[in-house]
Amino acid sequence: MVTQHIPRCWAKLGKEKWPDKYHPVICHLIDVGQAAAALWQHVVRQPMKQHITEALGLPEEDAARRWLAFWIAAHDIGKLTPCFQLQGNTDKLKEQLETAGFLLTTCGNPHHTETGTKILHSAFTQGKACPKLDDPLARKIAVAVGGHHGTFPSSWEGHCDSLGNEKWYALRQEVFEHISRLFGVNDQQIPRPTSDDQSVWMYLAGLTSVADWIGSNTEFFESKGNSAVADQGLDIDDYFCNSGNKAANALEKLGWRHHKGVSDTLLSFEKATGIGTPRPLQDAIIPIATEMKVPQLVIVEAPMGEGKTEAAWYIADCWDRRGGQGTYVALPTMATSNQMFGRVASFLETEGEGKKNLILQHGKASLNDRFEMLKYAAWVYDEEKHPAGVVAESWFAANKKHGLLAPYGVGTIDQALLAVLQTKHVFVRLFGLAGKCVILDEVHAYDAYMTTLMERLLRWLAALGCPVVLLSATLPAEKRAKLIEAYSGTTTTKLDGDNHYPRVTFVRVQDGTPVVICFPAAGTKEIHLDWVEDHDLPEKLRASLSDGGCAAVIRNTVGLAQETFTRLKEDFKGTDVVVELFHARFPFGRRKQIEDAVLAKFGKGTDGKPENPLRPKKAILVATQVIEQSLDLDFDVMFTDVAPVDLVLQRAGRLHRHERSSRPGGDAKLWLIEPGKRQKDGLPDFGPSEWVYSRFVLLKSYVALKAKTTVSLPDDLEHLVEQIYGKESMDTPEHYQNDLAESEKAMREEQRMQNRAAKGVMIWTPEMDDLLEQPNQQLEEDDPEAHKKVQAATRDTEPTVQLILVYQLDGNDFLDPYGKDPFDESKVPDVKRLRQLLNNEVTISHKGCVFHYVKQPVPSGWKKCGMLKHHRIVRIDQDGSSLTDDRIRLDTELGVIIYRNREGEGA
């Protein structure tokens, strides 16, 4: 039995005042410490345990568990101060504490994390109530644990006048004595980290926050305080045992205890991926995957359709079976993430070994039907009453900061890059990624800003024991070397095999020279190139589809795609050619319908085979870059704007992609749309494409493509990429030289600006000894009102605003144009209504529109809804015209049209 004063002090209050219902500080500390111990025991797997144990300089994993649980249990010691206890405004508590001699005068009102960090540092360095630690170590632990509200305390070394008199000091010392005894650190070896790697403290901070979230959940740990406890005391040892059982039960209910067991027996490639005969790339990957016992970086460069995804998954599966923490697959867009989500779910189902927790992680995940279905799969059984194998547990899916904690995840690369930005709880994201195999797809597609963030992410993933797989069609040699250096910490020179393509490059952390493995491509593809004037598009399309077939016309901006679709729709009116449009500026629900329809028509059949009965006889799909990456589509002929050469070839990867029994139109042909000419010098005028891509890269790509009549894949791929991005020379007309020099200078300056901007928002590297002292800007993740300097931008893009389209009919608001679904902006939306609203969402980047709408108020009913709190309403009439801004109009076929000016010129 403890003294009467410890259980009196509250950590959590219910709606009633003390002592009617509250949770004592000592109970909360035990709960959170037990949650941390349970996470270590049931969630953290052996390789990660070994990694953290060694980083702490401890001899065994159980010692690490005890120390971590003790430190984390002490996280809220700052609540045992007069300034915190008085926040409860409880006269009865105040009276009892004063009667017992506790001085209740305070100096200011510091946050309990600031006072707590001060108390922790003093207790650890004095060693009176718990084992004594060296000052530098004590500081790191105190700050890491003190950051559990999202940022590390920065002014904690003051506040001496806020800690109370000797009675408060004695009370805290007694609590330290109890938790150090309960968690068993008194007879343990003192941690003595020897490495300059500081990632262990970010890991500790993440583990503290997660344990605090679990330990604060009243569903698992009910309030223990009442009048009887306040008067009679509490049996702490008995509470400690019960709390441990509750912590284990909490992890079970949260779906965190369902994971593969560690095994030296690995699945065959066929069993893990469902592919019977591996392709050459996959044959090259198999020994890398099966022999990988420590984290490595693996870079896979191969043409489209070589099976890179299955190869990467096999690496992840082998790592997982050896004790990895799971897998996160990162892709460029929500559309590609949605498609990959289905593939990963199928991989997990193929393995057939119990329940797996799989999360879709992007801003519109809740609108993915398969993900929503998986949320409830824990209660779904097959005919033999076996629980569903792949589950999206609700706790992980409920909060964007929780998502990366789930064992398996698929989402946008943005979610991973947020793990190195100066945001609140950045260390929770790092903790969620620690020990996972991280797969980054389409890495060639990212600009200088994102690449700088990605290099910092690689450094952190290496420090946190994560194998990483990078997938790309091909990378410039300089970029490949930088990625290798970011992960391994070693500078690379030219490697054996660098001149051969396709290839796999792999390297261990701090382990010397990377190894390059070359392999033959599964096949070759000859693509014939030709050029067409924009005004001749209908004629060339008509000729190309004379015998049937499906054509893709890819434009570089939404405005160009909308204009092209309108023109072609009129030109093919009354014919048997179906003309359709796909871009990102449809309301989200409509865009998802179009995406599903495009995959159904131009992808493989429902049985996964190339023959697709839903494929149209004659069709034209006008699209933007939304079909450029990761979507498994197949066209008989393709027309495209000039774009960076690697992206042109990426688009061409959707040309004759599948082996089908019949193919109208003959050889694979890629038509490039001839740009206009500038009046001043006759050089190419790429028009709106220069809003999207660098003129220098467009101009070099134009020259390179003009010089070729055929492209052989994969043979020409790396050669063309090195011509554009590397140091390989190319013949360039003399009258292009000045323009190339000027545009290159502008591009290099833009890249330098992007690099500086990225460095300004990143967290420091794990080698920085003062890492925990870095100021955290607490960047805003999704607030369009925030100044660009304080936004947690994972992409260097113009500001955007999210709008919800609402129809105003006869003065009343509806979510549909027919007046069947009334809408009240003052109501807090439930889950069903939230999905309906988000299906009406559109993202706008037009500067004038963004400036106009961010000044509009957020509807009162949305302010407490995380997914809507930064959204605005745009009211439109039944014809789709905005009632307040004539730059916006919703067209049923074209999507949202943005006019660049009031005279109706489209963008």
Side-chain angles (χ1 to χ4, degrees):
M1 192 69 66
V2 300
T3 64
Q4 298 299 308
H5 308 303
I6 294 178
R8 284 198 183 111
C9 294
W10 63 275
K12 309 282 183 181
L13 283 178
K15 294 181 180 179
E16 302 82 5
K17 289 187 178 181
W18 184 97
D20 295 320
K21 191 175 183 180
Y22 70 102
H23 203 47
V25 171
I26 186 65
C27 295
H28 178 61
L29 302 189
I30 290 172
D31 293 342
V32 174
Q34 289 286 41
L39 285 165
W40 180 268
Q41 181 177 352
H42 299 296
V43 176
V44 182
R45 307 184 81 201
Q46 200 279 325
M48 198 66 216
K49 289 179 181 178
Q50 181 179 347
H51 181 80
I52 297 301
T53 301
E54 292 175 354
L56 291 173
L58 290 170
E60 56 185 11
E61 295 164 9
D62 187 63
R65 174 186 65 82
R66 293 174 183 276
W67 279 108
L68 291 170
F70 165 61
W71 294 331
I72 292 169
H75 75 294
D76 264 350
I77 197 70
K79 290 183 175 180
L80 288 175
T81 55
C83 49
F84 182 85
Q85 290 301 310
L86 287 175
Q87 291 177 23
N89 194 25
T90 55
D91 293 336
K92 189 172 181 179
L93 174 61
K94 182 178 179 181
E95 177 185 343
Q96 290 191 7
L97 290 174
E98 286 180 331
T99 300
F102 289 88
L103 186 64
L104 293 178
T105 57
T106 64
C107 180
N109 188 29
H111 195 271
H112 71 270
T113 56
E114 298 282 348
T115 54
T117 303
K118 172 73 174 179
I119 294 165
L120 287 172
H121 176 254
S122 297
F124 294 156
T125 53
Q126 291 173 7
K128 294 180 180 179
C130 58
K132 184 177 181 179
L133 305 177
D134 293 340
D135 183 81
L137 177 59
R139 293 176 70 88
K140 287 182 171 65
I141 296 167
V143 173
V145 170
H148 61 272
H149 277 258
T151 58
F152 297 124
S154 58
S155 57
W156 59 270
E157 294 190 80
H159 308 308
C160 292
D161 296 335
S162 302
L163 303 182
N165 60 359
E166 292 80 3
K167 293 286 287 188
W168 287 105
Y169 279 84
L171 180 65
R172 291 191 292 267
Q173 182 166 321
E174 187 176 353
V175 169
F176 271 114
E177 289 172 350
H178 281 296
I179 59 174
S180 63
R181 173 182 60 83
L182 291 169
F183 288 102
V185 297
N186 293 324
D187 59 350
Q188 297 295 312
Q189 178 177 317
I190 300 296
R192 300 194 186 280
T194 56
S195 171
D196 60 356
D197 182 355
Q198 306 297 306
S199 63
V200 66
W201 309 122
M202 295 293 265
Y203 186 88
L204 171 60
L207 179 58
T208 303
S209 287
V210 174
D212 189 31
W213 291 342
I214 296 171
S216 299
N217 191 323
T218 55
E219 180 181 346
F220 307 127
F221 302 91
E222 73 279 3
S223 297
K224 193 66 178 178
N226 52 42
S227 299
V229 170
D231 293 337
Q232 299 169 20
L234 179 74
D235 187 329
I236 288 182
D237 293 78
D238 182 61
Y239 187 86
F240 180 82
C241 293
N242 290 333
S243 179
N245 294 331
K246 291 176 181 178
N249 180 59
L251 297 187
E252 178 71 30
K253 288 187 175 180
L254 291 173
W256 226 332
R257 295 184 62 174
H258 301 286
H259 205 102
K260 303 183 189 113
V262 178
S263 173
D264 287 329
T265 302
L266 306 177
L267 292 184
S268 66
F269 187 84
E270 178 182 4
K271 181 66 174 175
T273 65
I275 292 179
T277 305
R279 297 180 181 182
L281 159 63
Q282 296 160 350
D283 276 329
I285 284 291
I286 289 172
I288 297 174
T290 55
E291 295 169 15
M292 186 171 68
K293 296 183 180 179
V294 296
Q296 297 179 23
L297 173 70
V298 182
I299 302 177
V300 181
E301 296 174 86
M304 296 66 73
E306 293 285 328
K308 294 192 289 288
T309 298
E310 290 82 3
W313 182 257
Y314 191 59
I315 293 173
D317 185 76
C318 290
W319 175 254
D320 210 23
R321 291 177 186 281
R322 286 205 166 103
Q325 291 293 133
T327 306
Y328 184 74
V329 186
L331 297 107
T333 66
M334 288 188 289
T336 55
S337 300
N338 287 338
Q339 189 181 37
M340 183 63 71
F341 180 71
R343 295 181 71 183
V344 170
S346 298
F347 288 148
L348 290 171
E349 290 286 8
T350 298
E351 295 173 3
E353 296 179 10
K355 188 168 69 172
K356 295 99 174 176
N357 194 340
L358 173 64
I359 297 295
L360 179 62
Q361 185 81 345
H362 61 64
K364 300 296 180 296
S366 63
L367 299 183
N368 182 284
D369 291 336
R370 183 162 187 172
F371 177 52
E372 282 298 294
M373 181 176 66
L374 289 183
K375 283 186 181 181
Y376 304 101
W379 296 277
V380 178
Y381 291 79
D382 63 21
E383 293 179 357
E384 297 181 0
K385 302 299 181 183
H386 295 138
V390 180
V391 179
E393 295 290 353
S394 59
W395 188 77
F396 297 101
N399 186 303
K400 61 187 176 183
K401 292 180 181 178
H402 294 177
L404 290 179
L405 301 173
Y408 303 100
V410 176
T412 57
I413 190 172
D414 309 79
Q415 301 302 319
L417 294 179
L418 282 168
V420 292
L421 294 187
Q422 296 175 39
T423 59
K424 288 189 71 174
H425 289 112
V426 60
F427 36 75
V428 171
R429 287 191 166 94
L430 289 172
F431 172 76
L433 289 172
K436 282 189 171 73
C437 180
V438 178
I439 301 170
L440 305 179
D441 199 4
E442 310 285 5
V443 295
H444 57 273
Y446 304 125
D447 62 14
Y449 180 86
M450 293 185 73
T451 299
T452 301
L453 295 181
M454 184 164 58
E455 289 172 7
R456 182 59 49 87
L457 176 64
L458 289 176
R459 187 72 216 102
W460 272 98
L461 293 176
L464 291 168
C466 301
V468 178
V469 186
L470 305 181
L471 305 181
S472 176
T474 187
L475 291 170
E478 183 179 0
K479 186 170 186 177
R480 182 168 61 253
K482 286 184 176 180
L483 295 173
I484 292 171
E485 182 178 352
Y487 183 85
S488 68
T490 58
T491 302
T492 63
T493 55
K494 192 168 183 60
L495 307 171
D496 291 338
D498 260 1
N499 292 329
H500 299 280
Y501 177 86
R503 63 177 160 258
V504 174
T505 308
F506 66 95
V507 60
R508 299 181 181 91
V509 179
Q510 302 291 351
D511 195 28
T513 304
V515 176
V516 180
I517 297 176
C518 302
F519 54 89
T524 59
K525 182 191 295 185
E526 290 286 325
I527 296 177
H528 297 266
L529 303 182
D530 210 336
W531 294 80
V532 59
E533 298 286 344
D534 185 75
H535 58 80
D536 289 333
L537 264 176
E539 177 187 346
K540 295 299 182 185
L541 279 162
R542 193 171 287 109
S544 298
L545 301 179
S546 59
D547 295 326
C550 298
V553 180
I554 304 178
R555 308 307 305 255
N556 288 341
T557 68
V558 173
L560 284 171
Q562 289 172 328
E563 182 276 328
T564 302
F565 170 78
T566 301
R567 182 158 42 105
L568 294 178
K569 189 76 183 285
E570 182 63 28
D571 286 328
F572 285 91
K573 191 177 189 179
T575 72
D576 57 350
V577 179
V578 178
V579 184
E580 297 177 293
L581 177 65
F582 182 26
H583 58 72
R585 216 162 63 198
F586 283 95
F588 189 85
R590 176 61 183 143
R591 174 184 168 176
K592 185 65 172 61
Q593 291 176 347
I594 296 172
E595 179 186 319
D596 291 343
V598 165
L599 284 166
K601 293 176 182 177
F602 304 109
K604 292 181 179 178
T606 54
D607 58 0
K609 296 180 180 179
E611 302 299 337
N612 184 353
L614 298 179
R615 190 176 181 86
K617 299 296 183 183
K618 290 184 180 181
I620 300 170
L621 178 67
V622 181
T624 58
Q625 295 89 334
V626 291
I627 68 169
E628 180 178 282
Q629 295 172 338
S630 297
L631 295 182
D632 190 10
L633 304 173
D634 176 30
F635 297 96
D636 302 304
V637 64
M638 181 175 287
F639 296 75
T640 179
D641 279 328
V642 174
V645 72
D646 52 325
L647 301 184
V648 169
L649 298 179
Q650 185 78 15
R651 296 173 185 183
R654 277 73 195 150
L655 181 59
H656 289 209
R657 184 179 179 93
H658 301 152
E659 292 291 335
R660 301 208 316 272
S661 58
S662 61
R663 175 76 69 178
D667 296 334
K669 190 157 190 177
L670 178 66
W671 291 88
L672 292 141
I673 300 172
E674 187 76 55
K677 303 294 182 184
R678 297 196 309 199
Q679 289 186 351
K680 65 178 181 179
D681 53 18
L683 293 180
D685 181 356
F686 300 105
S689 295
E690 292 188 39
W691 304 344
V692 184
Y693 307 113
S694 154
R695 175 170 178 80
F696 174 72
V697 174
L698 287 173
L699 201 56
K700 288 194 77 175
S701 298
Y702 176 80
V703 171
L705 292 168
K706 273 288 187 180
K708 300 187 78 68
T709 56
T710 62
V711 172
S712 178
L713 297 179
D715 297 344
D716 291 336
L717 183 55
E718 184 171 39
H719 167 68
L720 285 167
V721 167
E722 286 298 330
Q723 279 190 330
I724 307 306
Y725 299 103
K727 297 179 180 179
E728 190 170 325
S729 63
M730 60 183 293
D731 293 330
T732 308
E734 186 174 347
H735 62 289
Y736 280 56
Q737 297 302 322
N738 287 339
D739 193 15
L740 280 170
E742 291 176 5
S743 59
E744 181 178 19
K745 182 179 178 181
M747 182 190 73
R748 300 300 179 201
E749 178 58 29
E750 176 67 18
Q751 289 175 340
R752 283 191 289 271
M753 291 174 61
Q754 288 182 329
N755 186 267
R756 285 197 299 269
K759 289 181 177 178
V761 296
M762 296 187 304
I763 60 174
W764 294 341
T765 65
E767 293 79 22
M768 298 291 287
D769 187 60
D770 54 352
L771 173 68
L772 303 187
E773 297 176 23
Q774 179 186 16
N776 188 318
Q777 300 180 56
Q778 300 187 46
L779 300 173
E780 292 287 345
E781 294 183 30
D782 51 7
D783 185 359
E785 294 180 83
H787 190 278
K788 189 171 184 179
K789 289 184 178 179
V790 295
Q791 287 182 344
T794 54
R795 303 174 190 241
D796 186 37
T797 58
E798 292 298 322
T800 60
V801 63
Q802 281 73 42
L803 303 177
I804 301 294
L805 301 174
V806 172
Y807 295 87
Q808 191 169 85
L809 310 175
D810 298 327
N812 298 310
D813 289 340
F814 299 88
L815 291 183
D816 68 294
Y818 313 109
K820 295 181 180 179
D821 191 359
F823 165 68
D824 183 350
E825 67 175 76
S826 67
K827 291 185 177 180
V828 178
D830 57 19
V831 174
K832 180 179 178 182
R833 176 58 85 185
L834 176 63
R835 284 173 62 86
Q836 292 172 320
L837 288 166
L838 290 177
N839 275 324
N840 277 22
E841 183 205 87
V842 64
T843 299
I844 302 297
S845 60
H846 180 280
K847 288 184 179 179
C849 293
V850 171
F851 181 74
H852 172 76
Y853 283 103
V854 296
K855 294 190 295 183
Q856 309 306 313
V858 175
S860 58
W862 297 358
K863 291 181 178 179
K864 292 185 178 181
C865 177
M867 296 188 70
L868 289 173
K869 65 180 180 180
H870 298 304
H871 286 61
R872 272 71 173 179
I873 288 176
V874 54
R875 286 182 169 84
I876 58 178
D877 60 22
Q878 197 165 21
D879 294 328
S881 297
S882 170
L883 298 173
T884 58
D885 183 1
D886 57 11
R887 287 169 298 201
I888 290 182
R889 187 168 71 83
L890 174 64
D891 184 274
T892 305
E893 286 190 316
L894 298 179
V896 174
I897 302 171
I898 305 294
Y899 299 106
R900 291 205 304 271
N901 52 45
R902 302 287 182 176
E903 285 67 48
E905 185 180 354

